């Protein structure tokens, strides 16, 4: 979601001053636009302010994130939503507060994995690979799920395929793009 520069151009200089304060609560892209608008309106800036806003390559919104990071995160989100479907389908297994708590933690962890993948953090694909490796230990349970409850088994297989797909996309990202994103 980007910042609408035209919206900021309609603001008064006094309103834009709030954007360029060091403790500003606004996103960096909005701060940068406010700086540029105020500069075009003739406001003079201190050396410190100029340094803070002229170093654009350090701003997170200017960093290039390879599209495979976004695709992988979307696939991981789908996998988590399928996990929610699994829980709904087998709601009777959530018969204690501990099981409910663990299920919520696992789902939150899945959402966190997808979120951090979308940020383009290069080393995160190795975390996903290790976790996927541990997940392969559950193959016998998936096979028994297919026999006992085909819906759950099929959902688990789809989740596994989606996770493999996400990992393949992450490992297909060229190293030159990864070096740009490693410090995000």
């Amino acid at each position: 979601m980007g910042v609408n520069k035209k919206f900021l151009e309609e603001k008064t200089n006094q309103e834009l001053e709030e954007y360029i304060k060091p403790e500003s609560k606004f996103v960096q892209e909005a701060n940068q636009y406010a700086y540029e608008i105020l500069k075009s309106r003739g406001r003079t800036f201190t050396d410190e302010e100029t340094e803070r806003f002229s170093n654009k390559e350090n701003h997170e919104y200017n960093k290039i994130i390879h599209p495979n990071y976004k695709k992988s995160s979307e696939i991981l989100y789908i996998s988590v939503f399928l996990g929610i479907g699994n829980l709904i389908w087998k709601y009777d297994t959530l018969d204690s507060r501990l099981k409910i708590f663990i299920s919520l933690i696992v789902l939150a962890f899945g959402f966190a994995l997808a979120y951090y993948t979308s940020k383009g953090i290069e080393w995160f694909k190795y975390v996903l690979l290790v976790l996927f490796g541990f997940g392969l230990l559950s193959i016998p349970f998936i096979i028994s799920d297919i026999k006992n409850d085909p819906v759950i088994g099929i959902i688990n297989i789809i989740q596994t395929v989606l996770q493999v797909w996400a990992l393949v996309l992450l490992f297909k990202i060229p190293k030159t793009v990864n070096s740009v994103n490693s410090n995000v």
Side-chain angles (χ1 to χ4, degrees):
M1 177 185 272
V3 175
N4 187 345
K5 190 173 182 178
K6 290 190 184 287
F7 173 76
L8 290 175
E9 288 172 340
E10 295 172 359
K11 293 194 173 285
T12 66
N13 287 0
Q14 187 177 10
E15 291 172 319
L16 291 173
E17 290 288 336
E18 295 298 315
Y19 284 81
I20 64 168
K21 289 181 178 178
E23 67 276 359
S24 171
K25 63 181 179 191
F26 301 103
V27 295
Q28 287 184 339
E29 187 177 9
N31 299 346
Q32 183 68 33
Y33 284 152
Y35 167 78
E36 292 169 4
I37 293 166
L38 286 170
K39 189 173 182 179
S40 71
R41 292 180 184 174
R43 184 198 189 272
T44 55
F45 292 93
T46 65
D47 290 338
E48 179 185 308
E49 290 171 326
T50 303
E51 176 65 27
R52 191 164 32 110
F53 290 106
S54 64
N55 198 0
K56 289 182 184 177
E57 61 272 0
N58 287 337
H59 292 290
E60 186 176 319
Y61 71 89
N62 280 332
K63 292 199 176 171
I64 298 170
I65 296 177
H66 195 277
N68 282 4
Y69 284 112
K70 297 288 185 185
K71 290 176 189 173
S72 292
S73 72
E74 291 168 0
I75 291 168
L76 291 172
Y77 279 125
I78 292 169
S79 178
V80 173
F81 283 116
L82 286 172
I84 293 171
N86 255 347
L87 285 175
I88 293 170
W89 187 262
K90 294 291 279 189
Y91 68 90
D92 54 332
T93 60
L94 299 175
D95 55 3
S96 71
R97 289 184 186 203
L98 179 63
K99 288 181 181 180
I100 293 170
F101 178 74
I102 291 172
S103 297
L104 291 176
I105 294 297
V106 169
L107 289 174
F109 188 69
F111 279 114
L113 288 174
Y115 173 77
Y116 285 111
T117 299
S118 74
K119 295 299 176 188
I121 302 170
E122 191 266 333
W123 57 268
F124 212 70
K125 65 184 174 188
Y126 299 108
V127 171
L128 291 172
L129 182 63
V130 169
L131 292 173
F132 180 77
F134 285 126
L136 289 179
L137 298 174
S138 68
I139 296 273
F141 297 109
I142 293 174
I143 292 170
S144 71
D145 278 341
I146 291 173
K147 293 177 184 173
N148 298 330
D149 191 348
V151 173
I152 297 295
I154 290 171
I155 290 174
N156 288 339
I157 289 171
I158 292 171
Q159 283 180 299
T160 304
V161 169
L162 288 172
Q163 291 164 7
V164 168
W165 185 14
L167 281 168
V168 167
L169 286 173
L170 288 173
F171 279 96
K172 287 179 76 175
I173 297 171
K175 291 289 181 193
T176 55
V177 174
N178 286 342
S179 64
V180 171
N181 295 318
S182 62
N183 296 325
V184 176

